[in-house]
Amino acid sequence: MMTNETHIGTEHAEPGHLSWLRVRAFSCADALLKAPESVLVQSCADEIRYALFRLLKETALPALDVLYYNGELGSDEELPYCMEERIEKACPRLMALIRQTESDFCDSLAEALWRVAEYRAEIGTTLLQGRIFRQITGLEFGAGDRHNGGRCVIIFTTDAGKFVYKPHTLAADRIVRHLAEGFFPGLFYVPQVVCGKNFGFCEFVENRPAATDRAARLYYYRLGGFCAVSRMLGAADLHRENMLSHDAMPVPVDLETAFSPVLHRSIDENAQRELADTLHASCLLPTQVNEQECSFLFDTSDQNVSAPVVDGERRTLGYYLDDFLRGFRETYRRGMAQRAALLAFAERTENFPVRTVLRSTAGYMKLLRRARQWKWLCAPELGNEVKRVLSLAVKDYVPAAGQAERETAAILRCDVPYFTVDMDGHDLCDAGGIAEAACVDTSPREHFIRCLRLLSEEDLAFHCRLFTEAVEQSGPKPRET
C-alpha cells in the first residue's frame, strides 16, 4: 500500500537533487531491511524509508538547494550519474554529513531492533499485559531529539499493543515509580519500564486530558503533589513535553532529569546553590524559551497537551490554584513526616548516569540549523566557529573548554549534545567518557539528600508564595464562574 507521501511524490515532479536524495534514502533503508535484525519490521518498510528521507532533507537540503539552484550540480538529467562527485567537489563536508546521517540512522535503528528482539518476552510481560508480540506493525520516529550518533526515541506499534524505546537509561523512571508507590500512592502515575544497560523500554500511555471541572480540580490537586515530590528530589527540566495526563491522573514521562547535580562553574556560586535548593531549575514555574512558555502549569497553548480542556477551554494553574496548593502542602508535609524513611531510600538508590541539561534544547537546535547552512558548511573554520559560540557564557553559567569541545563534536554530527553525571559522581560525562573532571559541586544523590533535609514549614510557605505570585503575574486571570 502506498503512503500519502509516496502518492504525492509520484504525482508532482520534484527537483533532481531532491529525487536523488529520495533514491539514496530508499536504497540505504532497503539495505537495512535485508539485515537479520529487521525481520520484525518488514511491514514497516515505507515508514523506515520515509523516516530516513525526512532526516536527510532536514540535514542536507538547505545546502543542496544552494548548490542546485546555483547550477553547480548540473542538469536534472545528469544528476543521477554525477551528484555525489559534484557535491564532494563543491563541499566535501556536506557529502560527509549525508553519509554520516545515513550511517547513524541505520546503525541506531539496527541497534534498537536488536534490543527489541532481545527483550521481547520482558516487554510483553511487563508493558503489554502479558502478551508477547509477533510482529511490529508501525514505527514512529522523532518523538525526541537525536543524541549520541543519531539515537532517538521510537514508538513501536505491534500486534499486541504499543511500547516506547528510549536510548538512555530508565533507572530514574524506575526509582521515581518505586518512590511514588511506596510513599505517595495515588498522586501520579509513572509508566512501567523495562531497563537495559543505558537503554530501556517503557509503557505507552495515551494522553487524555481531564474534560470536566471536577476531574480538572482533582488533576491539579494531584499535580500539586507531584510538584512537592519534585521539590524533594531536586528535579530539573520538567518541561511541558515531560507531562501527559490520563483523565485526572498526571503521568510524568521521561524522568531522566528527576534528579540533578549542582555544578560549580557559576559566576555567583552561592546564589547558584540557593537556587538549586528551590524549584527554580525545574521548569515548573514560568519558564520562557524563545518566547514560548515551557511550564505545563502555565502554558495556555495547544502544545501543553496535558492541561485539562473544560468547555473547550484549556485550563492552566490559575483556575485551580487552591486545589494545587492543597495537594502541594499535604504531600510536602507527608514528605516531612516520612523524612527518615525517604533519606534511607535516597541512600540505597542505585548509582546510574543522570541526564544533566546544561543549555536549552532550543538553543542547540538553533545552532544545529546554522551549522547545516551552506555558508557555514563551506567555512574552513566551522568547528572553531561553533566552539566559539558554545564557549560564550550563558546567563550566569560559564562553559568550560572540555564541555564546549564535546558539544561542538556533537553539533557537527547533527546531534543534540547529551551529558550525564553519575548519581554518586562529580565528573561531567558524555558517550565518549569524561568531558570535564571534578566540575560537580553536589552529586545528584547528595542533592536529593540535601533537598530532603531542607524540608520545613518555612520552605513550604516560600514555595507556595512562589506559585501564588507566579499565577498573579502570569495573566490572563481566570474568568469569574
Side-chain angles (χ1 to χ4, degrees), residues 427-478:
D427 301 329
L428 183 69
C429 303
D430 67 0
I434 296 176
E436 188 185 350
C439 67
V440 174
D441 177 76
T442 308
S443 73
R445 188 189 308 277
E446 291 167 340
H447 191 207
F448 181 16
I449 290 169
R450 188 167 77 192
C451 287
L452 288 172
R453 288 177 173 158
L454 286 172
L455 296 179
S456 66
E457 286 294 334
E458 292 76 15
D459 181 75
L460 170 58
F462 169 76
H463 279 91
C464 287
R465 284 199 304 274
L466 280 183
F467 285 113
T468 301
E469 291 171 5
V471 167
E472 290 172 351
Q473 295 172 16
S474 63
K477 300 293 187 296

Side-chain angles (χ1 to χ4, degrees), residues 83-102:
M83 182 81 160
E84 189 166 340
E85 178 185 340
R86 291 184 178 179
I87 296 173
E88 191 81 62
K89 181 179 178 181
C91 184
R93 188 180 282 124
L94 174 58
M95 197 62 235
L97 184 58
I98 291 171
R99 295 189 186 112
Q100 185 70 67
T101 301
E102 292 169 342

Side-chain angles (χ1 to χ4, degrees), residues 303-448:
Q303 295 181 63
N304 188 12
V305 297
S306 64
V309 179
V310 180
D311 296 330
E313 183 179 22
R314 194 166 298 279
R315 299 284 180 89
T316 51
L317 180 60
Y319 285 89
Y320 302 104
L321 179 61
D322 290 344
D323 301 280
F324 174 88
L325 291 177
R326 183 165 58 87
F328 188 88
R329 291 189 184 101
E330 290 179 8
T331 305
Y332 191 106
R333 288 177 174 134
R334 200 183 311 171
M336 284 197 292
Q338 302 179 92
R339 191 196 317 259
L342 284 166
L343 284 168
F345 180 91
E347 292 282 4
R348 68 174 181 268
T349 294
E350 66 192 88
N351 188 32
F352 65 95
V354 174
R355 170 87 185 275
T356 303
V357 177
L358 303 178
R359 309 177 196 259
S360 73
T361 298
Y364 281 134
M365 295 305 293
K366 184 177 181 180
L367 190 53
L368 275 168
R369 286 191 294 271
R370 290 173 68 183
R372 292 193 291 254
Q373 291 173 2
W374 172 249
K375 181 175 68 174
W376 276 52
L377 279 170
C378 290
E381 299 297 317
L382 173 61
N384 289 339
E385 177 61 17
V386 172
K387 185 177 176 182
R388 183 192 68 78
V389 174
L390 289 168
S391 297
L392 301 175
V394 181
K395 294 185 179 179
D396 63 345
Y397 174 76
V398 183
Q403 172 194 329
E405 286 179 5
R406 298 297 180 92
E407 288 176 305
T408 299
I411 293 292
L412 294 181
R413 192 173 180 157
C414 285
D415 276 344
V416 173
Y418 190 97
F419 292 100
T420 61
V421 172
D422 282 354
M423 193 70 172
D424 292 316
H426 290 81
D427 301 329
L428 183 69
C429 303
D430 67 0
I434 296 176
E436 188 185 350
C439 67
V440 174
D441 177 76
T442 308
S443 73
R445 188 189 308 277
E446 291 167 340
H447 191 207
F448 181 16

